[in-house]
Amino acid sequence: MADSKILIVDDDNRNIFALSAVLKSKGYKCVSATGGEEGLDLLKKEKGIAVVLMDMMMPGMDGYQAMAEMSGHPELKDIPVIAVTAQAMVGDRERCINAGAVGYVSKPINVEELTRLLTQYI
């Protein structure tokens, strides 16, 4: 976990703030972006991002589109994405996994569940 960072991509700054605070208290380093395009730009510039927490429902480029862009980029395609969504409907988990996410958490986020997922990648 030494130099590994988590990229939080969410269009709501309150979600970024809360998630960053919780993760930093557990020893994780976090960077953030407020949309899919900004998240992709940050992934291309910032070194050491080990995993992305991607909000799936955002204006502009949503999480599904951002994951599709990542999968087509040689330097980004192997970075694991954990889908984060308030859309906890039947079939959402499968849709996120089929789109390329390695995991799925719904809002409000269960921190223990998220931490378990993160330990698989960091």
Side-chain angles (χ1 to χ4, degrees):
M1 185 164 54
D3 292 323
S4 298
K5 294 176 244 180
I6 298 169
L7 170 59
I8 302 168
V9 182
D10 197 308
D11 61 318
D12 189 332
N13 282 318
R14 295 167 299 186
N15 292 336
I16 290 173
F17 178 81
L19 200 46
S20 293
V22 167
L23 292 172
K24 286 178 182 177
S25 76
K26 295 192 172 292
Y28 293 103
K29 295 177 185 173
C30 301
V31 292
S32 63
T34 56
E37 296 96 341
E38 184 184 345
L40 289 172
D41 289 343
L42 199 54
L43 280 168
K44 292 172 187 172
K45 292 181 207 164
E46 187 92 22
K47 298 300 173 211
I49 294 176
V51 66
V52 178
L53 299 180
M54 182 79 71
D55 181 18
M56 300 311 289
M57 306 306 282
M58 297 180 286
M61 180 184 286
D62 67 16
Y64 297 102
Q65 293 166 312
M67 284 195 303
E69 290 283 327
M70 286 176 68
S71 69
H73 193 284
E75 294 173 15
L76 307 180
K77 66 182 174 78
D78 294 325
I79 299 172
V81 176
I82 296 173
V84 180
T85 183
Q87 299 280 333
M89 309 274 290
V90 173
D92 283 342
R93 175 184 299 272
E94 292 76 17
R95 182 174 176 215
C96 291
I97 300 300
N98 290 338
V102 297
Y104 171 95
V105 292
S106 60
K107 297 176 187 175
I109 293 173
N110 176 324
V111 177
E112 289 178 19
E113 178 185 352
L114 178 58
T115 304
R116 272 194 305 274
L117 269 172
L118 290 172
T119 56
Q120 296 175 32
Y121 303 100
I122 297 181

